[in-house]
Amino acid sequence: MYSIEIKASGGSYPIYIKNGLLGEIGSEVKKIYKGRKVAIVTDSNVNKFYGEKAISSLKSEGFETFKIVVKAGEESKSFETLLQVYDKLLDFKINRGDIIIALGGGVVGDMTGFAAATFLRGIDFIQIPTTLLAQVDSSVGGKVAVDLPRGKNLVGCFYNPKAVFIDPFLLKTLSDKFVCDGMGEVIKYGAIKDKGLFYKLMEYENSEAILKDIDKIIYTCCSIKAGIVERDERETGERMLLNFGHTIGHAIEQFFNFKEYSHGEAVSMGMYAITKIGEELGMTKIGTSSTIKDILIKYNLPWTLPEIKTEAIIETISHDKKNIGDFMNFILIESIGNSFIGKIEEAKIVDYLQKKS
Ligand code: GLY
């Protein structure tokens, strides 16, 4: 079993990574939680595959379990679903001494984490991420949130889990599209911080070879993220590097109402675009965008921008909290593995988007 301890302001918490860990979840939870009641929040897809497995393991250790199943999909990261979850927690008489488990991808993790942070002013929670994206990113670092009709993650807070249990075997039931989606974030870690990881990803011959190594890959990504969030828990500096490709990526997701492209696909296009812009402005070593393009093609991820209205994208980007005057803060890479926060004039972004659309 791989383990990483994250030092956080409210106390440290562990991340455990082990193939087959879900089957042992009861005994693992018993080591860190002395109460009896456990509320599990999951979605309709994950429930079909793993709901019973989690519950039977918890029951075998004597826990009293309560399951809350929300609809699969981004719509569940809403206040409507949150109210339903609070309601069920009340029905089950969950109180401050009990624990909530988020069993699912990013939507379930973020929404359940926010429910845990706010219900009765805060209840402990555990993350069991079931998608690659959630295993390498959203379950780690304590960002929890729900969406508003006007945008994603607009209401949330930092609330660290008691522990994160990652079972890479759970990825076996993910479709190729969702594995690629998560690979977008894995590639991001290599691009911003770890040249060795990036070039290793270039070498894998096929998806079987990647899956064989996936526990190691997840461990590498979580270790990088752990280091970053330990140094900058509240995203005032270094943590922003994790947003490489995300500013343009979010704008693309939003432009298509989150229907056309997955998060990893949108971030992939964003990583290529900002690297190309960085090269044109002399901020990025020439040839880096072509290396990014090669790896995205290898992992079936898109790199060219789709047909978009430049004004709409700029409007979304300029609402982004990272803007200062006519300049916008972007995460750039100087070369593979070396990232920095750079200021780019809005006009330069407009030029690039107009050339492409
Ligand atoms: N997903 C980016 C972060 O956790 O900061």
Side-chain angles (χ1 to χ4, degrees), residues 251-278:
I252 296 170
E253 280 183 286
Q254 192 142 330
F255 183 77
F256 290 101
N257 282 324
F258 302 94
K259 291 192 168 50
E260 196 73 25
Y261 298 101
S262 69
H263 179 70
E265 287 171 337
V267 165
S268 298
M269 292 184 268
M271 289 192 288
Y272 176 77
I274 199 63
T275 305
K276 189 80 184 152
I277 294 170

Side-chain angles (χ1 to χ4, degrees), residues 137-138 140-141 143 185 188 225 229 235 239 242-243 246:
D137 184 29
S138 60
V140 176
K143 277 189 181 174
E185 292 285 346
K188 176 197 80 179
K225 183 154 183 184
V229 301
E235 199 178 274
R239 187 165 180 170
L242 294 170
N243 296 330
H246 283 56

